[in-house]
Amino acid sequence: MSKSKTFCILPWIHFYANPDGNVLPCCIGNHHLPLGNVQQNKITDIWNSDQYKALRLKMLAGNDCKECTACYQSERDNVESFRQTVNRDYAEFLNFADETNSDGSLDAMKLKYLDIRWSNICNFKCRSCSSTYSSSWATEDNKQGQKKTVFIFAGGNNNDMLYEQLKPYISEVKEIYFAGGEPLLTDKHYDILKHLIDTNNTDIKIRYNTNLSSLSFKNISVIDLWQKFSNVHLNVSLDSWGDRAEYIRDGTEWKTLIENINTVKINCPRVHLGVVSVISAFNVYTLPEFTDYLLDNKLVKASSVSFYSIINPSFYSFDIFDNKTKISIIERLSGRNYNSHIKNQINNVIRQLESSKGNDDLRRQFKRTTDHYDSIRNKVFADTFPELKDFYENIF
């Protein structure tokens, strides 16, 4: 079967669920258009829900899918999209699409890639996050008079039944992705690792996005568990350094983070250690300095650094910048000499800066939101990011 321009292998091999139970095509799927909810239906029923079947048929026909606009935007910006990445990485399973019935259904769930956000339990309040993915955010929101459920579990009151539904597929998957909440504070993360060890399935690819603030959970050492696996990819969510990192990802203790990175490097030399940075209005100006910090201090290898330009919340995106500021940032990013991998990462950011469109409403929303959380968290934007002080103070 010839694959269309909008085809993505994920609806044939992948299962993603949000902490609120909503099932999406993947982690960057449109959160307003769920394909089902694991709190309301069994995963096997969702797999052939009307929404899932329609999505598959649209992809096979080459039609755009409203659930997948993030990938289309990346492709318009000449940046490799998640769709393109997974089609390459999982090319051996492309023929699964040939098994699609005429109504878009599949007779079997042949899962190869699993991404369940088991809960919103997290000890951080990252600026770009929300209570959906952070219990600390929910606690803070409640102090401001909002009525938020502090702890959210994908499976409902707990994750036990959801785990039992997924457990039979774990031995067949090629990759499991753990992300937030904070996966290293999530009980089902440890249940899955122990299950994989018990079933001698320790060569599976395990990938993380973690704040790496803690290396133990209820007296369980994640270091001890990782030592039993051969293919662990640990991506630390880190957007800047020092007090800048502590501002953007509230909860960060810079000294502790560096200690934990070094602990992993010493005790788990087989773990692939990397840094994944969300590039936003907060850190894009000093991206060269942050890159230099990572490389000069040998925190990770240059090939293990990844930059992703923020999409949501849109008021933290590059669209908040006026043309003068945008040009200044592009000139700064263009003026550094790095190896091909880092250069490609920065060029992706430059392309997305170039395609951004200044938006006065987003700019004002950026300032209102930043001032609000600064007052709650006892922070001052201009003190932490003095290079943007003039831009910030001229927002009206």
Side-chain angles (χ1 to χ4, degrees), residues 4-193:
S4 77
K5 64 179 182 179
T6 63
F7 176 82
C8 176
I9 190 55
L10 290 185
W12 283 264
I13 66 167
H14 173 56
F15 200 83
Y16 171 91
N18 230 24
D20 59 8
N22 278 340
V23 174
L24 308 175
C26 70
C27 61
I28 60 171
N30 189 327
H31 287 239
H32 299 292
L33 297 172
L35 305 172
N37 189 291
V38 293
Q39 296 176 9
Q40 301 166 9
N41 299 102
K42 293 180 179 179
I43 62 172
T44 50
D45 292 334
I46 295 171
W47 191 242
N48 283 320
S49 67
D50 290 341
Q51 299 94 319
Y52 236 133
K53 290 187 292 185
L55 179 72
R56 294 188 187 106
L57 292 177
K58 286 179 183 178
M59 287 184 174
L60 291 174
N63 297 326
D64 285 355
C65 305
K66 293 180 180 179
E67 297 87 350
C68 304
T69 53
C71 279
Y72 304 152
Q73 183 60 54
S74 294
E75 292 165 18
R76 284 194 293 270
D77 292 338
N78 294 315
V79 175
E80 182 175 86
S81 67
F82 190 40
R83 180 187 77 86
Q84 293 169 327
T85 299
V86 295
N87 282 346
R88 181 186 67 244
D89 291 349
Y90 288 94
E92 63 184 299
F93 303 114
L94 292 177
N95 64 326
F96 283 13
D98 299 341
E99 302 172 12
T100 311
N101 296 317
S102 60
D103 66 347
S105 65
L106 296 169
D107 293 334
M109 288 184 71
K110 296 184 177 181
L111 297 184
K112 301 300 176 185
Y113 177 19
L114 192 61
D115 179 3
I116 307 297
R117 309 299 168 93
W118 292 97
S119 77
N120 72 332
I121 295 173
C122 186
N123 54 341
F124 277 23
K125 296 175 292 188
C126 304
R127 289 277 173 150
S128 58
C129 197
S130 69
S131 60
T132 300
Y133 299 97
S134 169
S135 54
S136 296
W137 260 92
T139 300
E140 182 177 80
D141 287 345
N142 285 339
K143 289 180 179 178
Q144 300 303 307
Q146 300 183 45
K147 296 181 179 180
K148 297 285 183 70
T149 301
V150 175
F151 299 110
I152 302 172
F153 299 94
N157 293 329
N158 58 60
N159 284 315
D160 293 343
M161 290 181 63
L162 178 59
Y163 176 62
E164 290 302 319
Q165 289 183 66
L166 289 163
K167 195 173 181 179
Y169 301 96
I170 291 176
S171 61
E172 300 298 324
V173 300
K174 300 295 183 182
E175 178 178 353
I176 300 178
Y177 180 38
F178 291 108
E182 170 48 42
L184 301 187
L185 299 178
T186 303
D187 59 351
K188 285 297 175 280
H189 159 253
Y190 294 90
D191 290 343
I192 290 172
L193 292 194

Side-chain angles (χ1 to χ4, degrees), residues 27 187 198 219 227 238 255 275 287 295 326 364 387:
C27 61
D187 59 351
D198 291 343
N219 297 319
Q227 289 173 342
L238 184 60
K255 180 180 177 182
V275 163
L287 185 55
L295 302 183
K326 182 171 76 170
R364 287 189 285 268
E387 68 279 357

Side-chain angles (χ1 to χ4, degrees), residues 21 40 55 72 167 236 296 303 328 384 390:
Q40 301 166 9
L55 179 72
Y72 304 152
K167 195 173 181 179
V236 183
D296 292 347
S303 59
S328 174
T384 308
D390 289 344

Side-chain angles (χ1 to χ4, degrees), residues 321-337:
F321 291 123
D322 57 72
N323 199 50
K324 178 182 177 182
T325 304
K326 182 171 76 170
I327 291 172
S328 174
I329 295 171
I330 291 172
E331 289 175 349
R332 296 191 86 254
L333 298 185
S334 304
R336 299 298 181 98
N337 186 27

